[in-house]
Amino acid sequence: EDEKIVAEIMRRRFFPAVITHKAWEGFHFADHEIRITEATDCYGAVVWPSALVLCYFLETNSKQYNLVDKNVIEIGAGTGLVSIVASLLGALVTATDLPELLGNLQHNVLQNTKLKCKHQPCVKELSWGIDLEKNFPRSSCHFDYILAADVVYHHPFLDELLLTFDHLCKNDTVILWAMKFRLEKENQFVGRFQTLFDLEVISDFPTLNITLYKAMRKGRMK
């Protein structure tokens, strides 16, 4: 069953028939053809399998997790695929990442959502753990969903990542998080995450070493 679903997810990806001057990959989600421009000079400019897993889940579970008119933020949006799919599914999306990734992120978001979405998504800088209250004040920022795909990997900002989840998450916010398990240090983050949030496995893909979680603040899980 795992291998069948993984094969279906991977079939959503396609590549240009001819070599072009700009590298891109194509994806079929939410009844749209999505073209993503990538770069090879940093982690955040490549589409990782966790993003495809999360996109597939959002599309195939759109009744249970109805994003229409919901306020959604993606942290570590990278190339923007997840934010684009959430936008095409009707959400009001804020796609965030580091300042050096925003140009490519903005390009992909605009190219794939303009005149196609109920709500035009916005792209915003978010460096984990920095100026959170200034840029995302608790009093005025309320997100129904936090989306995250492959945000835990070999980087020195796991404390800041947890702080960011904590800051953005209200009592009724749902976190949908696709996690690829690699090294023990990153894997230990799950245990630390559970000190603040209740965690439920909603999909597991052993062939990809990816788990999809739903999380809410402790005591709030429905």
Side-chain angles (χ1 to χ4, degrees):
E1 186 64 24
D2 166 51
E3 290 178 358
K4 276 173 60 179
I5 297 174
V6 167
E8 166 61 23
I9 293 171
M10 293 307 164
R11 276 196 293 270
R12 302 301 188 93
R13 172 184 247 158
F14 66 94
F15 299 93
V18 294
I19 297 173
T20 58
H21 70 285
K22 206 171 212 181
W24 63 270
E25 285 186 66
F27 302 88
H28 290 289
F29 287 109
D31 296 323
H32 284 79
E33 181 181 292
I34 301 165
R35 291 192 177 192
I36 296 293
T37 301
E38 298 186 332
T40 56
D41 55 353
C42 55
Y43 289 130
V46 176
V47 177
W48 299 99
S50 293
L52 274 69
V53 166
L54 185 49
C55 289
Y56 181 81
F57 178 83
L58 294 174
E59 180 193 87
T60 55
N61 293 273
S62 58
K63 289 186 177 178
Q64 184 178 358
Y65 295 90
N66 185 355
L67 297 184
V68 176
D69 298 331
K70 296 296 194 297
N71 206 11
V72 171
I73 187 169
E74 184 186 5
I75 61 173
T79 60
L81 180 62
V82 172
S83 286
I84 290 163
V85 171
S87 298
L88 293 170
L89 291 170
L92 180 57
V93 175
T94 302
T96 71
D97 215 312
L98 296 168
E100 59 267 27
L101 295 172
L102 296 188
N104 190 56
L105 175 57
Q106 180 71 66
H107 169 78
N108 285 329
V109 166
L110 194 61
Q111 175 178 272
N112 290 286
T113 62
K114 192 174 182 182
L115 303 179
K116 298 177 183 177
C117 297
K118 185 175 184 181
H119 306 287
Q120 186 59 39
C122 73
V123 171
K124 191 170 179 179
E125 177 185 340
L126 173 52
S127 299
W128 298 336
I130 297 174
D131 292 332
L132 293 175
E133 182 58 30
K134 176 185 172 185
N135 296 324
F136 299 90
R138 286 181 187 269
S139 60
S140 57
C141 286
H142 183 283
F143 297 106
D144 300 294
Y145 289 94
I146 298 171
L147 305 179
D150 220 357
V151 292
V152 178
Y153 52 90
H154 185 60
H155 62 71
F157 304 109
L158 295 178
D159 290 342
E160 291 82 357
L161 174 59
L162 188 58
L163 189 66
T164 301
F165 272 123
D166 185 39
H167 180 84
L168 296 173
C169 190
K170 294 286 202 297
N171 280 342
D172 58 348
T173 301
V174 174
I175 299 169
L176 295 175
W177 168 29
M179 162 83 169
K180 182 173 178 68
F181 285 85
R182 295 182 176 92
L183 303 173
E184 187 55 34
K185 181 185 174 185
E186 293 97 82
N187 298 351
Q188 289 171 358
F189 179 83
V190 175
R192 295 177 55 207
F193 185 87
Q194 288 178 287
T195 63
L196 298 176
F197 302 99
D198 288 324
L199 204 58
E200 175 188 337
V201 175
I202 48 178
S203 289
D204 194 32
F205 302 97
T207 57
L208 295 174
N209 221 19
I210 291 172
T211 300
L212 182 59
Y213 293 110
K214 171 187 174 182
M216 294 185 76
R217 281 209 172 277
K218 275 205 166 293
R220 305 295 301 186
M221 189 74 85
K222 296 174 183 177

Coordinates of all heavy atoms in Angstrom, one line a residue, residues 168-217:
L168 N 3.7 31.0 16.4 CA 2.6 31.1 15.4 C 1.4 30.3 15.7 O 0.3 30.5 15.1 CB 3.2 30.6 14.0 CG 4.3 31.5 13.4 CD1 4.9 30.8 12.2 CD2 3.9 32.9 13.1
C169 N 1.5 29.4 16.6 CA 0.4 28.4 16.9 C -0.6 28.9 18.0 O -0.1 29.0 19.1 CB 1.0 27.1 17.2 SG -0.3 25.7 17.3
K170 N -1.8 29.2 17.6 CA -2.8 29.5 18.6 C -3.5 28.1 19.1 O -3.1 27.1 18.6 CB -3.9 30.4 18.0 CG -3.4 31.7 17.6 CD -3.2 32.6 18.8 CE -3.3 34.1 18.5 NZ -2.2 34.6 17.6
N171 N -4.4 28.3 20.0 CA -5.0 27.0 20.6 C -5.8 26.2 19.6 O -5.9 25.0 19.7 CB -6.0 27.4 21.7 CG -5.2 27.7 23.0 OD1 -4.1 27.3 23.2 ND2 -5.9 28.4 24.0
D172 N -6.3 26.9 18.5 CA -7.1 26.1 17.5 C -6.3 25.9 16.2 O -6.9 25.5 15.2 CB -8.4 26.8 17.3 CG -8.3 28.2 16.8 OD1 -7.2 28.8 16.9 OD2 -9.3 28.8 16.4
T173 N -5.1 26.3 16.2 CA -4.3 26.1 15.0 C -3.9 24.6 14.8 O -3.5 24.0 15.7 CB -3.0 27.0 15.0 OG1 -3.3 28.3 15.2 CG2 -2.2 26.8 13.8
V174 N -4.0 24.2 13.5 CA -3.6 22.8 13.2 C -2.3 22.9 12.4 O -2.2 23.6 11.4 CB -4.7 22.1 12.3 CG1 -4.2 20.8 11.8 CG2 -6.0 22.0 13.1
I175 N -1.3 22.1 12.9 CA 0.0 22.0 12.2 C -0.1 20.7 11.3 O -0.4 19.7 11.8 CB 1.1 22.0 13.2 CG1 1.2 23.2 14.0 CG2 2.5 21.7 12.4 CD1 2.2 23.2 15.2
L176 N 0.3 20.9 10.0 CA 0.4 19.7 9.2 C 1.9 19.7 8.7 O 2.3 20.6 8.1 CB -0.5 19.8 8.0 CG -2.0 19.7 8.3 CD1 -2.8 19.9 7.1 CD2 -2.3 18.3 9.0
W177 N 2.6 18.7 9.2 CA 4.1 18.7 9.1 C 4.6 17.4 8.5 O 4.3 16.3 9.0 CB 4.6 18.9 10.5 CG 6.1 18.7 10.7 CD1 7.1 18.8 9.8 CD2 6.7 18.3 11.9 NE1 8.3 18.5 10.4 CE2 8.1 18.2 11.7 CE3 6.2 18.0 13.2 CZ2 9.0 17.8 12.7 CZ3 7.1 17.6 14.2 CH2 8.5 17.5 13.9
A178 N 5.2 17.5 7.3 CA 5.8 16.3 6.7 C 7.3 16.3 7.1 O 8.1 17.2 6.8 CB 5.7 16.4 5.2
M179 N 7.7 15.2 7.7 CA 9.1 15.0 8.3 C 9.8 13.9 7.7 O 9.3 12.7 7.7 CB 8.9 14.8 9.8 CG 10.1 14.3 10.5 SD 11.3 15.6 10.9 CE 12.4 14.6 12.0
K180 N 11.0 14.1 7.1 CA 11.8 13.1 6.6 C 12.9 12.7 7.7 O 13.6 13.6 8.2 CB 12.6 13.5 5.3 CG 13.4 12.3 4.8 CD 14.0 12.6 3.4 CE 14.9 11.5 2.9 NZ 14.1 10.3 2.6
F181 N 12.9 11.5 8.1 CA 13.8 11.1 9.1 C 15.2 10.7 8.6 O 15.3 9.9 7.6 CB 13.2 9.9 9.9 CG 12.1 10.2 10.8 CD1 10.8 10.3 10.3 CD2 12.3 10.5 12.1 CE1 9.8 10.7 11.1 CE2 11.3 10.9 13.0 CZ 10.0 11.0 12.5
R182 N 16.2 11.4 9.1 CA 17.6 11.2 8.6 C 18.5 10.8 9.7 O 18.9 9.7 9.9 CB 18.1 12.5 7.9 CG 17.3 12.9 6.7 CD 17.9 14.2 6.1 NE 17.2 14.6 4.8 CZ 16.2 15.4 4.8 NH1 15.7 16.0 5.9 NH2 15.6 15.7 3.6
L183 N 19.0 11.8 10.5 CA 20.0 11.6 11.5 C 19.4 11.7 12.9 O 18.3 12.4 13.1 CB 21.1 12.6 11.4 CG 21.8 12.6 10.0 CD1 22.8 13.8 9.9 CD2 22.5 11.3 9.8
E184 N 20.0 11.2 13.9 CA 19.4 11.1 15.2 C 19.2 12.5 15.8 O 18.2 12.7 16.5 CB 20.4 10.3 16.2 CG 19.8 10.0 17.5 CD 18.4 9.3 17.5 OE1 18.2 8.5 16.6 OE2 17.6 9.6 18.3
K185 N 20.1 13.4 15.6 CA 19.9 14.8 16.2 C 18.6 15.4 15.7 O 17.9 15.9 16.5 CB 21.1 15.7 15.8 CG 21.0 17.1 16.3 CD 22.1 17.9 15.8 CE 22.0 19.4 16.3 NZ 22.9 20.3 15.7
E186 N 18.4 15.3 14.4 CA 17.1 15.9 13.9 C 15.9 15.1 14.4 O 14.9 15.6 14.7 CB 17.1 15.9 12.4 CG 18.1 16.8 11.7 CD 19.4 16.1 11.3 OE1 19.4 15.5 10.3 OE2 20.3 16.2 12.1
N187 N 16.1 13.7 14.5 CA 15.0 12.9 15.0 C 14.6 13.2 16.4 O 13.4 13.1 16.8 CB 15.3 11.4 14.9 CG 15.6 11.0 13.4 OD1 15.4 11.7 12.5 ND2 16.2 9.8 13.3
Q188 N 15.5 13.6 17.2 CA 15.3 14.0 18.6 C 14.4 15.2 18.7 O 13.7 15.5 19.7 CB 16.6 14.3 19.4 CG 17.4 13.0 19.6 CD 18.7 13.3 20.2 OE1 19.1 14.5 20.3 NE2 19.5 12.3 20.5
F189 N 14.3 16.0 17.6 CA 13.5 17.2 17.6 C 12.0 16.8 17.8 O 11.2 17.6 18.4 CB 13.6 17.9 16.2 CG 12.8 19.2 16.1 CD1 13.2 20.4 16.7 CD2 11.5 19.1 15.5 CE1 12.4 21.5 16.6 CE2 10.7 20.3 15.4 CZ 11.2 21.5 15.9
V190 N 11.6 15.7 17.3 CA 10.2 15.2 17.5 C 9.8 15.1 19.0 O 8.8 15.6 19.4 CB 9.9 13.9 16.8 CG1 8.5 13.4 17.0 CG2 10.2 14.0 15.3
G191 N 10.7 14.6 19.8 CA 10.5 14.5 21.2 C 10.4 15.9 21.8 O 9.5 16.1 22.7
R192 N 11.2 16.8 21.4 CA 11.2 18.2 22.0 C 9.9 18.8 21.5 O 9.3 19.6 22.3 CB 12.4 19.0 21.5 CG 13.7 18.4 22.1 CD 14.9 19.2 21.5 NE 14.8 20.6 21.8 CZ 15.3 21.5 21.0 NH1 16.0 21.2 20.0 NH2 15.2 22.8 21.3
F193 N 9.5 18.6 20.3 CA 8.3 19.2 19.8 C 7.1 18.7 20.6 O 6.1 19.5 20.9 CB 8.1 18.7 18.3 CG 6.9 19.3 17.6 CD1 7.0 20.5 16.9 CD2 5.7 18.7 17.5 CE1 6.0 21.1 16.2 CE2 4.6 19.2 16.9 CZ 4.8 20.4 16.2
Q194 N 7.1 17.5 21.1 CA 6.0 16.9 21.8 C 5.9 17.5 23.3 O 4.9 17.2 23.9 CB 6.1 15.4 21.9 CG 5.7 14.8 20.5 CD 5.9 13.3 20.6 OE1 7.0 12.7 20.6 NE2 4.8 12.6 20.5
T195 N 6.9 18.3 23.7 CA 6.7 18.9 25.0 C 5.7 20.1 24.9 O 5.1 20.4 25.9 CB 8.1 19.5 25.5 OG1 8.5 20.5 24.6 CG2 9.1 18.4 25.6
L196 N 5.5 20.6 23.7 CA 4.5 21.7 23.5 C 3.3 21.3 22.8 O 2.2 21.9 23.0 CB 5.2 22.8 22.7 CG 6.4 23.5 23.4 CD1 7.0 24.5 22.4 CD2 6.0 24.2 24.7
F197 N 3.4 20.2 22.0 CA 2.3 19.9 21.1 C 1.9 18.4 21.2 O 2.8 17.6 21.3 CB 2.6 20.2 19.6 CG 3.0 21.6 19.4 CD1 4.4 22.0 19.3 CD2 2.1 22.6 19.2 CE1 4.7 23.3 19.1 CE2 2.4 23.9 19.0 CZ 3.8 24.3 18.9
D198 N 0.6 18.1 21.0 CA 0.2 16.8 20.8 C 0.4 16.4 19.3 O 0.1 17.2 18.4 CB -1.3 16.6 21.1 CG -1.6 16.7 22.6 OD1 -0.7 16.2 23.4 OD2 -2.6 17.3 23.0
L199 N 0.9 15.2 19.1 CA 1.3 14.8 17.8 C 0.6 13.5 17.4 O 0.5 12.6 18.1 CB 2.8 14.6 17.8 CG 3.6 14.7 16.5 CD1 3.4 16.0 15.9 CD2 5.1 14.4 16.8
E200 N 0.0 13.5 16.1 CA -0.7 12.3 15.6 C -0.1 12.0 14.2 O 0.0 12.9 13.4 CB -2.2 12.6 15.5 CG -3.0 11.6 14.9 CD -4.4 12.0 14.6 OE1 -4.9 12.9 15.3 OE2 -5.0 11.4 13.7
V201 N 0.3 10.8 14.0 CA 0.7 10.3 12.7 C -0.5 10.2 11.8 O -1.4 9.4 12.2 CB 1.5 9.0 12.8 CG1 1.8 8.5 11.4 CG2 2.8 9.2 13.6
I202 N -0.6 10.9 10.7 CA -1.8 10.7 9.8 C -1.4 10.0 8.5 O -2.3 9.5 7.9 CB -2.5 12.1 9.5 CG1 -1.5 13.1 9.1 CG2 -3.3 12.5 10.7 CD1 -2.1 14.5 8.8
S203 N -0.1 9.9 8.2 CA 0.3 9.1 7.1 C 1.8 8.7 7.3 O 2.5 9.5 7.9 CB 0.2 9.9 5.7 OG -1.1 10.0 5.3
D204 N 2.1 7.5 6.8 CA 3.5 7.1 7.0 C 4.0 6.4 5.7 O 3.3 5.6 5.2 CB 3.6 6.1 8.2 CG 5.0 5.9 8.7 OD1 5.8 6.9 8.6 OD2 5.3 4.8 9.1
F205 N 5.2 6.8 5.3 CA 5.7 6.3 4.0 C 7.1 5.7 4.2 O 8.1 6.5 4.0 CB 5.7 7.4 3.0 CG 4.3 8.0 2.7 CD1 4.0 9.2 3.3 CD2 3.4 7.4 1.9 CE1 2.7 9.7 3.1 CE2 2.2 7.9 1.7 CZ 1.8 9.1 2.3
P206 N 7.2 4.5 4.7 CA 8.5 3.9 5.0 C 9.5 3.9 3.8 O 10.7 4.1 4.0 CB 8.1 2.5 5.4 CG 6.7 2.5 5.9 CD 6.1 3.6 5.0
T207 N 9.0 3.8 2.6 CA 9.9 3.7 1.5 C 10.6 5.1 1.2 O 11.6 5.1 0.6 CB 9.1 3.3 0.2 OG1 8.1 4.2 -0.1 CG2 8.6 1.9 0.3
L208 N 9.9 6.1 1.7 CA 10.5 7.5 1.6 C 11.2 7.9 2.9 O 11.8 9.0 2.9 CB 9.5 8.5 1.2 CG 8.9 8.4 -0.2 CD1 7.7 9.4 -0.4 CD2 9.9 8.5 -1.3
N209 N 10.9 7.2 4.0 CA 11.3 7.6 5.3 C 10.7 8.9 5.7 O 11.3 9.7 6.4 CB 12.9 7.7 5.4 CG 13.4 7.1 6.7 OD1 12.7 6.3 7.4 ND2 14.6 7.5 7.1
I210 N 9.4 9.1 5.3 CA 8.7 10.3 5.6 C 7.5 10.0 6.4 O 6.7 9.0 6.1 CB 8.3 11.0 4.3 CG1 9.6 11.6 3.6 CG2 7.3 12.2 4.5 CD1 9.3 12.1 2.2
T211 N 7.2 10.8 7.4 CA 6.0 10.7 8.2 C 5.3 12.0 8.1 O 5.9 13.1 8.2 CB 6.3 10.4 9.7 OG1 7.0 9.1 9.7 CG2 5.0 10.3 10.5
L212 N 4.0 11.9 8.0 CA 3.1 13.2 8.0 C 2.4 13.2 9.3 O 1.7 12.3 9.7 CB 2.1 13.1 6.8 CG 1.2 14.3 6.6 CD1 2.0 15.6 6.4 CD2 0.3 14.1 5.4
Y213 N 2.6 14.4 10.0 CA 2.0 14.6 11.3 C 0.9 15.6 11.3 O 1.0 16.6 10.5 CB 3.1 15.0 12.3 CG 4.1 14.0 12.6 CD1 5.4 14.2 12.2 CD2 3.9 12.9 13.5 CE1 6.4 13.3 12.5 CE2 4.9 12.1 13.8 CZ 6.1 12.3 13.4 OH 7.1 11.4 13.7
K214 N -0.1 15.5 12.2 CA -1.0 16.5 12.6 C -0.6 16.9 14.0 O -0.4 16.0 14.8 CB -2.4 16.1 12.5 CG -3.4 17.1 13.1 CD -4.8 16.5 13.1 CE -5.8 17.4 13.8 NZ -7.1 16.8 13.9
A215 N -0.6 18.2 14.3 CA -0.2 18.6 15.7 C -1.1 19.8 16.1 O -1.5 20.6 15.2 CB 1.3 19.0 15.8
M216 N -1.4 19.8 17.4 CA -2.0 21.0 18.0 C -1.4 21.2 19.4 O -0.7 20.3 19.9 CB -3.5 20.7 18.1 CG -4.3 20.6 16.8 SD -6.1 20.5 17.0 CE -6.5 22.3 17.4
R217 N -1.7 22.4 19.9 CA -1.2 22.6 21.3 C -1.7 21.5 22.2 O -2.8 21.0 22.1 CB -1.7 24.0 21.8 CG -0.9 25.1 21.2 CD -1.0 26.3 22.1 NE 0.0 27.3 21.6 CZ 1.3 27.3 21.8 NH1 1.8 26.4 22.5 NH2 2.0 28.3 21.4

